[in-house]
Amino acid sequence: MSKAHRGKGIRDQFARGRGTCPLCGRSNVKILYEQEAGEVKLKVCKTCRAAVKHGKKAISAQSAAPAVPPAETASTAG
Ligand SMILES: [Zn+2]
């Protein structure tokens, strides 16, 4: 279980663990690191995890909100 953030370990995750980091806004980065911000848990990229850990970045509740609101008007689903 050493390489939990590499290779086979992240294949079963959504988009293989990749996505847009809510903190730095970079896309297609590996978002494998959970950071707690009060009550919410936020998945951030490796760089942001280190930044938060060292107090250079702060996780706000605002950044925990999804950037794109869920589409409720999806229709024609078979
Ligand atoms: Zn980031």
Side-chain angles (χ1 to χ4, degrees):
M1 289 298 289
S2 58
K3 294 186 180 176
H5 297 141
R6 297 183 189 183
K8 278 189 271 184
I10 64 172
R11 275 195 200 158
D12 57 339
Q13 299 201 24
F14 177 73
R16 297 197 171 177
R18 285 183 184 267
T20 303
C21 175
L23 281 191
C24 61
R26 289 189 302 166
S27 59
N28 206 29
V29 292
K30 286 197 277 188
I31 306 177
L32 303 168
Y33 306 91
E34 272 192 355
Q35 285 290 316
E36 286 185 42
E39 296 128 26
V40 295
K41 270 192 179 179
L42 195 57
K43 287 208 157 192
V44 300
C45 71
K46 188 176 183 178
T47 312
C48 290
R49 184 199 66 114
V52 169
K53 191 177 174 187
H54 294 290
K56 294 181 180 175
K57 269 187 185 176
I59 295 180
S60 61
Q62 189 180 8
S63 59
V68 180
E72 295 177 11
T73 57
S75 59
T76 69

